């Protein structure tokens, strides 16, 4: 078997940690000796053993003089667990293939340097593109100290979120809606505005077997959230944060008693100042946010340059209606050259629906097609 096959196996193992490792990265590891896999593992959940240590724990024979394939540079510092470089040296690994550099300043370049200083041959950037694709969330979170934010919405072929009456269930088919729950499992938090809660009374949970419920984050400047809403009724079961700017002491007390966390935030134009909210979420180790909540909040996130990814579920239907809602509202931009620029990264079919994925380009960055 080729080196590429072993590293791709490590990539597949890493993906098994989706929905469990945050705010840590997804990492897989494979140990190979005499052309045979003798051990493999992945980072199962935050606080548990790292991928390398799990791979060694699963070895079927002595790994001395074996090769290690790991999707991310091994750590060399004491964190929630002991340094992985220690066990690599202890087990006398001959050669280490590394996919991605770890941008964490505690690790970056130090792990590979330590291994080389102790006589281990290190091959860096091996299948780097495939390994990097595992961890855009971790890379953003660790370098920017802000959550990785994705906007998600479902629209018709004429760009409508709902009909002129506000009806929106259902724009897309069952398979598309199932995939949304995969995203809710993947992202640590789900963000909506109070308008979405008042209109739809959503649960904002994950409804797949063994799925993880995201932390529910409601932007509700004046605490209009009804105590009889499904959000309030399930707050003791699903962690829920309500960000507000000002409200009565009575409503604050009632919501807190229902089990919600109340965060008073600075305001901008009468609404929660989103950069401050994102910073506080990052400090709470919420590394990724899926925003599903209305045109106003989507525009505000884009306007504040807080969005890294956009998911668009496109249904082959036309609603029409001048006043029918669209996925991004707000003030809008004045001229085409002021547009928020996107880079297409993926296209999938879910029966007749399409899922288009985009990365949001940073200021001054242009799509390679330009």
């Amino acid at each position: 078997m080729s080196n590429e096959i072993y590293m791709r196996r490590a990539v597949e193992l890493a993906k098994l940690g989706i929905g469990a490792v945050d705010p840590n990265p997804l990492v897989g590891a494979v140990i190979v000796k005499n052309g045979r896999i003798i051990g493999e593992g992945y980072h199962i959940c935050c606080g548990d053993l790292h991928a390398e240590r799990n791979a060694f724990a699963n070895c079927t024979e002595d790994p001395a003089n074996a090769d290690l394939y790991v999707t991310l540079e091994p750590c060399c510092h004491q964190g929630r667990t002991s340094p992985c470089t220690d066990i690599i040296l202890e087990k006398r690994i001959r050669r280490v293939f590394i996919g991605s550099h770890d941008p964490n300043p505690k690790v970056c370049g130090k792990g590979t340097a330590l291994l080389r200083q102790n006589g281990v041959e290190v091959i860096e950037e091996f299948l780097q593109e495939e390994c990097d694709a595992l961890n855009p969330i971790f890379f953003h979170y660790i370098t920017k100290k802000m959550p990785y934010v994705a906007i998600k919405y479902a629209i018709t072929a004429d760009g409508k979120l709902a009909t002129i009456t506000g009806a929106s269930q259902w724009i897309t088919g069952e398979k598309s809606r199932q995939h949304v729950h995969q995203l809710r499992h993947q992202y640590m938090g789900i963000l909506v505005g109070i308008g979405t809660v008042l209109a739809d009374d959503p649960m904002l949970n994950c409804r797949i077997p063994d799925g993880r419920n995201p932390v529910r984050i409601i932007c509700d400047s004046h605490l209009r959230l009804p105590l009889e809403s499904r959000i309030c009724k399930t707050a003791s079961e699903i962690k829920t944060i309500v960000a507000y700017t000002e409200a009565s002491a009575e409503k604050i007390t009632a919501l807190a008693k229902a089990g919600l966390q109340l965060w008073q935030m600075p305001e901008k134009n009468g609404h929660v100042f989103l950069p401050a909210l994102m910073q506080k979420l990052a400090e709470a180790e919420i590394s990724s946010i899926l925003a599903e909540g209305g045109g106003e909040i989507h525009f505000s996130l884009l306007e504040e340059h807080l969005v890294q990814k956009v998911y668009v579920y496109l249904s082959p239907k036309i609603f029409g209606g001048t006043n029918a809602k669209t996925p991004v509202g707000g003030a809008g931009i004045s001229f085409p050259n002021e547009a928020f620029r996107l880079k297409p990264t993926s296209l999938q079919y879910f029966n007749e629906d399409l899922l288009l994925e985009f990365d949001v380009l940073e200021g001054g960055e242009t799509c390679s097609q330009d």
Side-chain angles (χ1 to χ4, degrees):
M1 294 175 70
S2 69
N3 293 326
E4 289 82 1
I5 290 174
Y6 297 130
M7 185 61 90
R8 289 196 174 104
R9 173 59 183 164
V11 169
E12 291 307 307
L13 288 167
K15 293 177 183 177
L16 297 175
I18 289 174
V21 304
D22 325 74
N24 287 352
L26 297 166
V27 187
V30 172
I31 301 168
V32 177
K33 187 172 183 178
N34 299 324
R36 295 174 292 106
I37 294 176
I38 64 167
E40 58 183 31
Y42 65 98
H43 187 34
I44 297 172
C45 66
C46 183
D48 200 353
L49 295 178
H50 286 187
E52 299 94 321
R53 288 184 176 272
N54 274 325
F56 284 117
N58 294 329
C59 271
T60 56
E61 61 183 86
D62 183 1
N65 295 314
D67 293 338
L68 170 67
Y69 299 77
V70 61
T71 58
L72 184 70
E73 180 181 2
C75 67
C76 55
H77 69 291
Q78 180 69 46
R80 290 185 173 96
T81 60
S82 300
C84 290
T85 49
D86 286 1
I87 196 168
I88 292 171
L89 297 174
E90 176 191 326
K91 297 296 185 180
R92 295 182 293 145
I93 290 296
R94 175 177 68 101
R95 196 166 53 163
V96 179
F97 292 79
I98 297 172
S100 298
H101 297 287
D102 189 336
N104 187 338
K106 295 178 180 178
V107 181
C108 189
K110 298 181 178 71
T112 55
L114 181 62
L115 292 174
R116 286 190 173 116
Q117 288 166 12
N118 285 274
V120 179
E121 181 182 352
V122 179
I123 297 90
E124 297 182 77
E125 300 177 357
F126 190 78
L127 294 188
Q128 182 178 8
E129 185 174 347
E130 294 176 43
C131 293
D132 283 356
L134 290 167
N135 286 304
I137 289 172
F138 173 74
F139 294 156
H140 177 84
Y141 173 69
I142 206 71
T143 58
K144 305 294 186 183
K145 297 181 174 22
M146 293 284 272
Y148 181 96
V149 178
I151 287 175
K152 166 258 149 185
Y153 50 82
I155 56 173
T156 59
D158 57 337
K160 303 299 185 181
L161 279 178
T163 67
I164 57 171
T165 66
S168 61
Q169 295 182 348
W170 295 104
I171 290 176
T172 54
E174 180 64 26
K175 283 198 171 182
S176 294
R177 300 198 297 275
Q178 288 175 358
H179 187 263
V180 169
H181 289 282
Q182 298 280 355
L183 294 182
R184 291 182 180 182
H185 170 71
Q186 176 182 343
Y187 283 82
M188 287 193 77
I190 183 168
L191 174 70
V192 299
I194 185 60
T196 296
V197 177
L198 294 175
D200 301 334
D201 192 22
M203 276 287 287
L204 303 178
N205 61 347
C206 176
R207 296 189 287 276
I208 58 174
D210 300 319
R212 173 186 65 173
N213 286 322
V215 176
R216 301 182 299 197
I217 304 151
I218 317 297
C219 286
D220 183 8
S221 299
H222 304 295
L223 291 187
R224 294 187 290 152
L225 181 64
L227 289 169
E228 63 273 15
S229 67
R230 295 201 293 170
I231 292 288
C232 285
K233 289 179 178 178
T234 56
S236 61
E237 304 164 23
I238 303 173
K239 183 176 179 179
T240 306
I241 296 167
V242 181
Y244 72 101
T245 58
E246 59 180 5
S248 69
E250 182 182 6
K251 188 63 178 283
I252 292 170
T253 300
L255 290 174
K257 187 176 180 180
L260 296 97
Q261 295 186 22
L262 283 300
W263 289 5
Q264 186 169 21
M265 303 303 301
E267 65 92 23
K268 180 180 179 181
N269 300 326
H271 299 287
V272 170
F273 184 49
L274 291 173
L277 174 60
M278 291 301 155
Q279 185 175 359
K280 187 165 184 176
L281 289 167
E283 291 167 357
E285 295 193 328
I286 297 176
S287 60
S288 59
I289 304 292
L290 182 66
E292 291 194 27
E296 298 299 315
I297 202 166
H298 289 170
F299 180 79
S300 296
L301 288 166
L302 288 163
E303 186 180 33
E304 297 289 355
H305 304 288
L306 296 172
V307 183
Q308 284 69 56
K309 193 172 189 67
V310 178
Y311 297 95
V312 181
Y313 295 86
L314 180 63
S315 173
K317 301 172 184 174
I318 291 178
F319 284 175
T322 301
N323 297 321
K325 292 181 180 179
T326 57
V328 181
I333 55 136
S334 299
F335 302 100
N337 63 359
E338 299 171 353
F340 307 107
R341 302 298 305 278
L342 308 177
K343 177 183 177 181
T345 59
S346 175
L347 168 65
Q348 297 182 64
Y349 283 90
F350 294 110
N351 290 338
E352 60 184 11
D353 298 329
L354 294 178
L355 170 58
L356 305 169
E357 295 185 28
F358 302 90
D359 287 340
V360 179
L361 299 176
E362 296 183 4
E365 193 178 1
T366 60
C367 186
S368 59
Q369 296 171 337
D370 287 352

